[in-house]
Amino acid sequence: MKNQLNFIALTFAFALTACSQEQTENFNKKAGNIIMKAGGYDVKVLDPNTPLPEKPTIPNFPTDEEVQNKITENQEYINSKIVKKDGKTIYYFQEEKQKNDKTIYTLTDDKNQAKYYRVILGKTAENYCAVQDFYANGEKRREQYIIMDTDCTQFSNSLTTNPIRDYLTLVWYRPQEKM
């Protein structure tokens, strides 16, 4: 292997002295690719005239104050939708693994087995449920939102699965990431 690399390097050096500028550049690209392949790497040498990709712009993240204002605005929105206040009904959910390793959450009466719990804040005029979810230790899981269903026990671990939700902004807290 070392002998092959030495031979390629010597050939490369001799070829550089006997070639025009354009031939040298083409040879350099090809030799570079050969050397990388001989070394076990599958790397292509790019044309030096290729423009660099544009640097991605950094998004403007909201400040803590802006986030808190959005949370307050969302709470006011949810409270304005509630026509029948509750705040006392609580449902507990435990985590279960299905055969396909998908996690589902089912109702449980045992608070000790619960991973999450949901406080029913009230019902809307359409009889939809205004709720807030918490982790079993009492930390917030999500800010208030409305489940567009009359069944307040609809629970998912994803924003993409049904039931459809109504909120101005949804803040999801993850304690392991301190968010």
Side-chain angles (χ1 to χ4, degrees), residues 15-40:
L16 285 177
T17 58
C19 299
S20 70
Q21 178 71 22
E22 187 177 328
Q23 289 173 327
T24 302
E25 285 176 8
N26 287 337
F27 183 78
N28 286 346
K29 287 180 197 173
K30 289 177 184 174
N33 287 336
I34 292 169
I35 290 170
M36 294 304 245
K37 283 184 181 177

Side-chain angles (χ1 to χ4, degrees), residues 96-179:
E96 290 182 8
K97 291 275 187 191
Q98 291 183 322
K99 289 180 185 176
N100 60 0
D101 277 342
K102 187 175 179 179
T103 302
I104 61 168
Y105 299 93
T106 57
L107 282 173
T108 182
D109 293 330
D110 187 355
K111 293 179 187 180
N112 297 324
Q113 285 185 346
K115 183 156 184 171
Y116 307 107
Y117 68 91
R118 169 173 291 158
V119 176
I120 309 304
L121 305 171
K123 295 274 192 155
T124 67
E126 299 86 5
N127 205 32
Y128 296 151
C129 302
V131 301
Q132 186 165 13
D133 296 333
F134 295 87
Y135 292 96
N137 63 5
E139 290 184 29
K140 287 182 187 178
R141 181 168 191 252
R142 291 187 203 145
E143 284 296 330
Q144 300 175 6
Y145 64 98
I146 294 173
I147 299 173
M148 304 295 280
D149 195 323
T150 57
D151 181 3
C152 298
T153 63
Q154 296 282 339
F155 193 91
S156 71
N157 197 32
S158 169
L159 294 173
T160 59
T161 58
N162 285 333
I164 298 171
R165 296 171 174 89
D166 182 18
Y167 47 82
L168 293 180
T169 187
L170 182 63
V171 178
W172 192 315
Y173 301 95
R174 296 183 184 183
Q176 68 273 18
E177 297 171 5
K178 304 285 187 244
M179 296 173 72

